[in-house]
Amino acid sequence: GQNIDQPTEMTATEGAIVQINCTYQTSGFNGLFWYQQHAGEAPTFLSYNVLDGLEEKGRFSSFLSRSKGYSYLLLKELQMKDSASYLCAVRDRGTGGFKTIFGAGTRLFVKA
Amino acid sequence: DSGVTQTPKHLITATGQRVTLRCSPRSGDLSVYWYQQSLDQGLQFLIHYYNGEERAKGNILERFSAQQFPDLHSELNLSSLELGDSALYFCASSVEGTGYEQYFGPGTRLTVT
């Protein structure tokens, strides 16, 4: 089956760095995404990893280790507007095509 | 604004009824994905269409069906509605058919009373 685990909530301070972890189990792994979702709004694409290593995009970086079934999203120089849910999602390739399986999300609270 | 549109924004209906949710993808995108997001279950993949053809199915109930039309807009039909179907329904679109970099619409909030 497929399973994605990430912490339910995290709190961090403005200007700091926070790391949100995600572990996954899937039979047809074909890439991992991170999305940001503000309350009541649509998710927005942040990053994509398919090979092991770190992908950096401005204040956001995402890391993947396929052998460990592990990823993290690193947010630097936190801003109040970064308070949102961060969704880890795995693209799974099966006989029925590609499916994107989302984790339950990590709610990040940024405090002053 | 992602460029993906969904109508209606809100829908309130009674149990046993049938509703249709509509999605127009970004210009040039061939794929449409439907997701259900409820408080206790997170974002659940329902179904994916690519250029008019069904490509992948997730945990979509038999009471639900979808289609993608020649102009690439898509409709999600929900019938025999139950209280538990109350949720936010998102559609997303992407250029290609593997799920990479999906752009989400604003969602339709369905309330079943």
Side-chain angles (χ1 to χ4, degrees):
Chain A
Q2 298 135 345
N3 194 45
I4 299 175
D5 286 313
Q6 48 182 134
T8 306
E9 285 185 4
M10 297 182 72
T11 301
T13 305
E14 194 176 16
I17 299 173
V18 70
Q19 177 175 313
I20 302 174
N21 296 324
C22 170
T23 57
Y24 63 88
Q25 287 177 309
T26 182
S27 52
F29 178 82
N30 199 263
L32 187 140
F33 304 91
W34 284 95
Y35 282 82
Q36 180 191 59
Q37 186 177 26
H38 286 96
E41 297 182 11
T44 54
F45 171 82
L46 287 179
S47 69
Y48 170 69
N49 296 70
V50 67
L51 300 176
D52 290 352
L54 189 68
E55 294 282 340
E56 296 186 76
K57 224 186 204 183
R59 293 190 300 116
F60 292 11
S61 304
S62 57
F63 171 83
L64 175 67
S65 168
R66 288 172 296 170
S67 62
K68 295 181 179 174
Y70 167 71
S71 172
Y72 67 72
L73 179 69
L74 196 69
L75 291 77
K76 302 174 192 171
E77 300 167 18
L78 279 173
Q79 303 174 9
M80 299 298 286
K81 67 177 182 180
D82 297 330
S83 293
S85 284
Y86 291 86
L87 312 178
C88 173
V90 169
R91 184 169 61 182
D92 186 84
R93 184 172 191 167
T95 53
F98 291 92
K99 298 178 187 176
T100 306
I101 312 300
F102 282 81
T106 298
R107 289 185 70 186
L108 174 66
F109 298 93
V110 179
K111 58 182 184 177
Chain B
D1 184 353
S2 67
V4 179
T5 59
Q6 287 187 251
T7 56
K9 270 192 166 177
H10 302 277
L11 199 47
I12 302 174
T13 189
T15 54
Q17 295 299 303
R18 173 190 166 97
V19 297
T20 297
L21 313 184
R22 183 188 167 102
C23 169
S24 292
R26 293 186 320 158
S27 177
D29 285 359
L30 298 178
S31 275
V32 170
Y33 312 80
W34 284 99
Y35 294 90
Q36 178 192 57
Q37 187 173 42
S38 51
L39 281 173
D40 58 344
Q41 290 215 331
L43 204 58
Q44 299 287 314
F45 168 70
L46 295 178
I47 198 162
H48 167 213
Y49 278 85
Y50 176 79
N51 204 20
E53 291 187 7
E54 182 185 304
R55 274 290 181 93
K57 248 182 179 176
N59 300 324
I60 187 166
L61 300 171
E62 283 192 18
R63 300 184 285 109
F64 296 2
S65 65
Q67 54 183 326
Q68 186 180 29
F69 295 87
D71 66 353
L72 301 177
H73 91 271
S74 177
E75 292 181 357
L76 179 67
N77 300 296
L78 316 176
S79 61
S80 302
L81 284 168
E82 301 175 1
L83 295 177
D85 297 328
S86 295
L88 253 178
Y89 289 84
F90 286 107
C91 84
S93 73
S94 67
V95 168
E96 43 75 84
T98 67
Y100 177 73
E101 196 167 351
Q102 298 176 37
Y103 290 85
F104 283 75
T108 293
R109 182 170 292 282
L110 173 67
T111 303
V112 182
T113 61

